[in-house]
Amino acid sequence: MPITDPAPPFDTELQATLAAMPETPPLTLSSIPAAREALAAMMPTVAEAIGDRAVSFTEVLVPGPAGQPAVAVTVLRPREAVPAAAGALVNFHGGGMMVGNRFMDTGRLVDLVLELGVVAVNVEYRLAPEHPHPAPVEDCYAALVWVAANAMQLGVDPDRIVVMGGSAGGGLSAGVALLARDRGGPALAAQLLLCPMIDNLNSTVSSRQCATGGTWTLDANLLGWQSLLGGEADSTQASIYAAPSRATDLAGLPPAFIEVGSAELFRDEDVDYASRLWAAGGQAELHVWSGGFHGFDMYAPGSALAAAALDARLSWLRRVLGA
Amino acid sequence: MPEPVHVSPPLPALAPVSYDPELVAGLAAFLDAVEQLPLRADTILANRAHFASLVPPVEQQLGDRPIDVEHVMAPGPAGAPDIELTVLRPRSGTGSSAGTGTGTPVPGLYLIHGGGMVLGNRHFGVSDAFDLVEEHGVVAVSVEYRLAPEHPHPAPVEDCYAGLLWFAAAASRLGVDPDRIMVWGASAGGGLSAAVALLARDRRGPALAGQLLGCPMIDDRNNTVSSHQYNGIGAWDRSNNHTGWSALLGDERGRAGVSPYAAPARAIDLAGLPPAYIEVGAAEVFRDEAVDYASRLWAAGSQAELHVWAGGYHGFSTFSPDAVVSRAANAARATWLQRTLRLLR
């Protein structure tokens, strides 16, 4: 293995957050069920996450992929009247393809619904390893197809649908954007990829530099890809819809926003994806935040770095949504 | 019979990343005002004169803002002429201790102007620092460095470094915290800022608090994807870039052995450098070299923040300041300055 220099240091404020975080046991195949339960127990209900803010929600079961179970989604919308055709954010949660649920993201979606006057559709996809590729990405795609097909009933402008997600959810968003392009599916206005998990090869400099010490380790990442792809986990031939970094043709994709920390595993794969989007003539905005660990905006929402990252994100959403 | 000469097929034309629609008018206005004559070896002097006519003296740019201006001469590099520097300080009595030598020392900004190594002067781009001086009490110093082709490498970067030495030595007299001096430049000024940071590291010179590199010109090889995508379009295109590097490096341009102090992309060792902020448009020549420099800083364990703004042309945040993307770029830069310099509110 090549000699690797130490990772860039964490932002001082984030370092303090990290130091104060309770230690969690490393994720292993056998600890996945317990990790899911622990996460589920931590999550507020949708009503709790909304609190007294002017957002309403409905729970809907939408058709899954052909021959597969229905997909549960939460639809969030401003309680105040919005234009007949609002922008839509179709969100996929993170959790390394193995853990997590859609309620992790309710809080930030409620913020965006209020800030931008959009409708958010938060998707519960099936998880690996019980449901390996293509189950997760096909569930996400099915939810997108449902949103596009029901745009009028949802009060959504079909030309202003954005897919988004963090970590595994960012990878699934990129995968859904590739699927939509290749199947001639819904025309997406944009893809918002937050510290996306897109490269199954784990061979970048940052995957070595940031293997431990942050909030998402190389071991956890390897487990995630193993769970999703099994024997294809480290294959250069893995499906581009599972591992978008494997895609060689990145032309004809919707504008992308890619955000990542400088001190995290996914830094280099995310920078590479942006660079290849540009090389293909595609539009992309890239932000690599100084000293950010994986998911710093979620773990340290009060930090100056998270505030700056959120501002950049909102600016871009306004630009692509015309909001 | 002679061997047939193998000719590589020409590269297919590379589709460029498109401009943010809100920036198109600003780019057109910039080109209309600045690029009246394509920048080529034989038009450098004419372009320089025209460009100078577009840049008002700093006093005029300031209007009635409460900022004091002083022009000073400082020793140049060994055996070279003195250099001129402009010092900007909050006006005495406006509440800041800067310049008085008493009270809490303030951060210092060392400004290096752009212009492709061949154009521009120390009055160009200096307005980027006005708010920081007025609102945060920062002291800014802008350097007049010699330009290519009359003064090829290393004259420009050595002048810039000499000015930094003066600033660091004058820090306490100026009320500046010598540990919070940062270099800041755009375009050629970004390249020179990166180079000054390398020089300061390698000569054990002043410890810099940061390097703010706006759409930096750092790679003389001109062979990235983005350098091919913006050929004949944009506010600084592939041919202009060729002109600038040829003026700075002559026949050495693109060859092995070009100095990293001329073209920081040539540096092999990027460890031990001050925190970098690198910003660039997605729709410009310098995109890929800027991204590569950031990536190699991280790989060396150095700190860097990278922002590549969708649809941004070269210099968009300065020339189209009111566009939504420009406002976001200016706000992101302000947060980094705040985080890095611990500015007074």
Side-chain angles (χ1 to χ4, degrees):
Chain A
M1 185 170 276
I3 296 165
T4 303
D5 284 308
F10 293 125
D11 173 270
T12 351
E13 212 179 354
L14 295 185
Q15 176 71 64
T17 303
L18 200 56
M21 276 166 49
E23 224 170 283
T24 49
L27 198 59
T28 62
L29 195 57
S30 58
S31 74
I32 288 175
R36 287 179 190 161
E37 281 169 33
L39 265 172
M42 283 165 58
M43 292 309 140
T45 65
V46 179
E48 284 166 351
I50 293 173
D52 57 4
R53 291 183 289 176
V55 169
S56 64
F57 74 99
T58 48
E59 299 290 354
V60 188
L61 276 176
V62 309
Q68 302 294 314
V71 174
V73 306
T74 306
V75 180
L76 299 148
R77 61 173 67 248
R79 210 178 289 149
E80 313 292 324
V82 291
L89 304 175
V90 182
N91 182 74
F92 315 120
H93 69 80
M97 307 287 180
M98 308 165 281
V99 301
N101 58 60
R102 70 189 183 283
F103 304 112
M104 293 163 62
D105 287 347
T106 313
R108 78 169 162 205
L109 291 173
V110 169
D111 292 344
L112 291 170
V113 163
L114 286 172
E115 187 77 38
L116 300 166
V118 294
V119 173
V121 179
N122 197 6
V123 180
E124 198 66 62
Y125 56 87
R126 287 170 292 170
L127 297 173
E130 300 94 316
H131 304 286
H133 179 74
V137 73
E138 289 289 2
D139 283 2
C140 293
Y141 184 73
L144 168 66
V145 167
W146 176 79
V147 172
N150 294 277
M152 191 180 290
Q153 297 91 313
L154 288 165
V156 160
D157 178 353
D159 293 330
R160 291 196 296 148
I161 299 174
V162 176
V163 287
M164 68 170 281
S167 196
L172 289 164
S173 300
V176 163
L178 290 164
L179 273 178
R181 178 194 66 178
D182 297 346
R183 290 178 181 170
L188 289 169
Q191 46 182 332
L192 178 65
L193 315 180
L194 306 175
C195 48
M197 172 184 178
I198 53 177
D199 187 350
N200 62 310
L201 298 183
N202 291 284
S203 59
T204 62
V205 171
S206 57
S207 69
R208 296 193 300 273
Q209 280 183 315
C210 310
T212 59
T215 53
W216 186 245
T217 65
L218 180 59
D219 284 345
N221 204 46
L222 290 167
L223 181 65
W225 286 112
Q226 180 64 39
S227 300
L228 187 70
L229 294 173
E232 293 279 289
D234 57 0
S235 168
T236 56
Q237 303 304 310
S239 165
I240 65 171
Y241 308 118
S245 292
R246 299 281 69 75
T248 51
D249 176 10
L250 293 182
L253 289 167
F257 180 96
I258 301 179
E259 167 191 314
V260 68
S262 73
E264 69 160 290
L265 209 63
F266 295 151
R267 180 192 71 217
D268 292 340
E269 64 198 65
D270 294 352
V271 170
D272 175 70
Y273 200 67
S275 295
R276 295 196 297 114
L277 285 165
W278 294 317
Q283 193 60 272
E285 182 156 306
L286 172 67
H287 299 280
V288 186
W289 295 96
S290 199
F293 53 70
H294 185 65
F296 67 89
D297 59 314
M298 300 283 260
Y299 293 105
S303 63
L305 202 69
L310 188 60
D311 281 349
R313 209 185 286 170
L314 279 170
S315 165
W316 178 83
L317 279 168
R318 290 203 174 91
R319 281 177 268 144
V320 295
L321 289 171
Chain B
M1 250 177 75
E3 287 286 308
V5 177
H6 177 75
V7 178
S8 304
L11 282 172
L14 287 170
V17 177
S18 56
Y19 297 119
D20 180 319
E22 215 187 347
L23 296 177
V24 171
L27 173 58
F30 173 84
L31 290 173
D32 201 39
V34 175
E35 184 103 32
Q36 299 189 338
L37 198 58
L39 184 68
R40 303 294 178 264
D42 59 351
T43 65
I44 287 175
L45 296 184
N47 269 290
R48 190 186 295 168
H50 173 65
F51 191 76
S53 75
L54 301 175
V55 181
V58 60
E59 289 84 353
Q60 197 178 322
Q61 296 179 50
L62 278 167
D64 56 4
R65 295 184 74 148
I67 292 176
D68 285 337
V69 183
E70 188 188 354
H71 304 285
V72 302
M73 297 303 294
D82 285 354
I83 52 177
E84 189 161 18
L85 300 156
T86 294
V87 182
L88 302 178
R89 275 180 282 183
R91 182 152 300 155
S92 330
T94 52
S96 167
S97 61
T100 65
T102 61
T104 313
V106 299
L109 291 178
Y110 185 60
L111 308 175
I112 305 177
H113 72 80
M117 308 287 179
V118 296
L119 312 175
N121 58 50
R122 72 187 187 285
H123 303 277
F124 171 49
V126 73
S127 59
D128 285 341
F130 289 171
D131 286 350
L132 289 158
V133 175
E134 187 176 336
E135 292 163 22
H136 299 287
V138 167
V139 173
V141 173
S142 184
V143 60
E144 194 69 61
Y145 58 87
R146 287 169 293 166
L147 298 174
E150 301 94 311
H151 304 286
H153 178 76
V157 71
E158 289 291 359
D159 283 2
C160 293
Y161 187 71
L164 174 67
L165 292 180
W166 176 87
F167 193 7
S172 65
R173 181 170 64 74
L174 294 169
V176 166
D177 179 353
D179 293 330
R180 286 195 293 159
I181 294 177
M182 173 183 289
V183 286
W184 179 2
S187 197
L192 289 163
S193 295
V196 161
L198 291 167
L199 273 178
R201 177 194 66 179
D202 297 346
R203 292 178 181 170
R204 301 180 188 283
L208 291 168
Q211 45 179 333
L212 206 172
L213 314 179
C215 46
M217 173 181 179
I218 53 176
D219 192 347
D220 61 297
R221 291 163 293 193
N222 212 17
N223 63 2
T224 62
V225 170
S226 55
S227 75
H228 286 279
Q229 284 177 315
Y230 297 90
N231 189 355
I233 53 171
W236 182 257
D237 86 331
R238 173 176 186 75
S239 297
N240 288 14
N241 204 36
H242 185 280
T243 303
W245 284 112
S246 297
L248 188 72
L249 296 172
D251 290 343
E252 293 304 306
R253 184 195 59 78
R255 292 198 179 157
V258 164
S259 166
Y261 308 126
R266 301 298 200 110
I268 303 298
D269 176 11
L270 294 181
L273 289 167
Y277 184 90
I278 303 180
E279 56 179 323
V280 69
E284 70 153 292
V285 164
F286 293 148
R287 181 193 68 221
D288 292 340
E289 61 198 70
V291 170
D292 180 68
Y293 200 66
S295 296
R296 296 198 299 113
L297 283 165
W298 296 316
S302 293
Q303 194 57 279
E305 183 157 306
L306 172 68
H307 298 278
V308 186
W309 297 95
Y313 66 85
H314 184 65
F316 70 96
S317 61
T318 299
F319 301 117
S320 300
D322 297 325
V324 175
V325 65
S326 303
R327 282 187 273 136
N330 292 331
R333 185 189 315 113
T335 76
W336 182 80
L337 285 163
Q338 182 71 45
R339 282 177 273 137
T340 308
L341 291 175
R342 308 183 304 281
L343 295 172
L344 303 171
R345 294 280 186 186

